[in-house]
């Protein structure tokens, strides 16, 4: 797709190469930085999948998001969902973006009513499950007996 955009921008005759005055990375810079503001297709798609993922996680009023959660997450958190054999290509693209989303999202815990401590990535980009690998651990400090 980017090849088509480049061909449109720089033109040229069929079968003949034309010298590019600027590299594609410079063309994709924001206008404020001297570029034309073109988006790289891969980055645009990743951003779009991140937006869809965010909608699934936080938009409880969306019929589409509710259906995706019910269809693919069952009893798991969206953050830990698997790609089933019957998964759609959209769901696969969303799951392929999770690592990027996890690296670029920051959870802020307020009252703690809507966060799943075990699954949601509120602690350094991961839930407690990632840090402790088992659900059977003890919170607290052992009591010392006085003699």
């Amino acid at each position: 797709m980017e090849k088509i955009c480049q061909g449109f921008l720089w033109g040229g005759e069929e079968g003949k190469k034309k010298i590019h005055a600027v590299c594609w990375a410079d063309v994709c810079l924001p206008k404020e930085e001297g570029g034309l503001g073109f988006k790289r297709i891969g980055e645009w798609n990743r951003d779009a999948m991140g937006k869809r993922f965010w909608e699934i996680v936080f938009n409880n009023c969306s019929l589409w998001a509710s259906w995706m959660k019910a269809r693919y997450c069952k009893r798991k958190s969206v953050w830990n969902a698997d790609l089933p054999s019957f998964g759609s290509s959209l769901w696969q693209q969303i799951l392929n973006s999770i690592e990027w989303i996890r690296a670029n999202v920051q959870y802020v815990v307020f009252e703690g009513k809507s966060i799943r401590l075990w699954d949601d990535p509120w602690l350094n980009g991961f839930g407690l499950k990632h840090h402790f690998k088992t659900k059977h651990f003890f919170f607290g400090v052992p009591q010392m007996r006085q003699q």
Side-chain angles (χ1 to χ4, degrees):
M1 184 59 96
E2 284 186 2
K3 273 274 198 228
I4 294 170
C5 293
Q6 291 170 4
F8 172 76
L9 183 64
W10 288 303
E13 295 177 28
E14 188 71 33
K16 291 185 180 179
K17 290 189 176 184
K18 189 173 178 185
I19 297 174
H20 301 166
V22 205
C23 72
W24 186 248
D26 291 342
V27 172
C28 292
L29 288 172
K31 291 178 182 178
E32 301 82 38
E33 295 177 25
L36 295 178
F38 286 22
K39 275 263 229 189
R40 291 184 173 270
I41 302 298
E43 291 174 4
W44 182 85
N45 188 56
R46 182 197 63 206
D47 295 347
M49 293 305 106
K51 186 175 180 180
R52 295 287 74 87
F53 180 81
W54 206 252
E55 187 177 358
I56 292 169
V57 173
F58 292 106
N59 190 352
N60 294 327
C61 298
S62 166
L63 180 60
W64 175 83
S66 299
W67 181 83
M68 291 294 275
K69 268 193 244 183
R71 173 91 169 146
Y72 295 116
C73 299
K74 307 267 189 253
R75 295 182 179 157
K76 286 187 168 188
S77 165
V78 178
W79 292 99
N80 298 317
D82 297 320
L83 180 63
S85 57
F86 58 85
S88 70
S89 62
L90 175 63
W91 184 246
Q92 184 174 7
Q93 288 179 30
I94 290 171
L95 290 184
N96 288 338
S97 300
I98 284 185
E99 291 309 314
W100 175 81
I101 295 167
R102 190 183 305 274
N104 291 288
V105 75
Q106 180 178 2
Y107 258 75
V108 178
V109 181
F110 291 104
E111 295 175 0
K113 292 180 180 177
S114 63
I115 193 166
R116 297 172 66 175
L117 292 177
W118 194 250
D119 294 317
D120 291 343
W122 64 276
L123 183 62
N124 296 327
F126 294 94
L128 289 177
K129 180 189 288 184
H130 174 79
H131 295 288
F132 292 100
K133 303 293 183 205
T134 176
K135 286 188 179 182
H136 307 291
F137 57 90
F138 180 75
F139 278 111
V141 178
Q143 296 285 329
M144 298 194 64
R145 293 185 183 175
Q146 292 180 344
Q147 295 183 9

